[in-house]
Amino acid sequence: MTEVRLPKPGDAIDEAEITKFLIEEGATVSEGDPLYSLATDKVEMDIEAPSSGTVAWKVEEGGTYDIGTLVAVIS
């Protein structure tokens, strides 16, 4: 099982918005596939899956979360 946490896209950034899930709940993802999109006041980016498996989301799409928040689990 792999925990997916909200990354720190820049030094002065403490939180980011999950703008879109690119993989549905319960779907299978491969390592390196785009997993979700995030946005801050300075950057927008897609985050890749760190491992392969089935995705279980732990946050809501459209929510703003602190850096390090558990976003999903891949098992």
Side-chain angles (χ1 to χ4, degrees):
M1 178 170 51
T2 302
E3 292 185 345
V4 180
R5 297 196 174 266
L6 195 67
K8 187 172 180 103
D11 289 338
I13 297 171
D14 295 325
E15 63 183 18
E17 178 187 356
I18 306 290
T19 56
K20 184 173 183 172
F21 294 150
L22 303 175
I23 301 291
E24 293 182 20
E25 174 79 19
T28 301
V29 67
S30 295
E31 183 176 349
D33 285 351
L35 188 59
Y36 65 94
S37 297
L38 68 78
T40 69
D41 57 342
K42 297 182 181 190
V43 68
E44 293 182 22
M45 61 193 306
D46 289 345
I47 303 301
E48 296 179 352
S51 64
S52 298
T54 303
V55 176
W57 294 108
K58 302 300 182 185
V59 296
E60 298 290 324
E61 189 175 78
T64 299
Y65 300 97
D66 293 333
I67 300 307
T69 297
L70 180 63
V71 174
V73 174
I74 300 174
S75 55

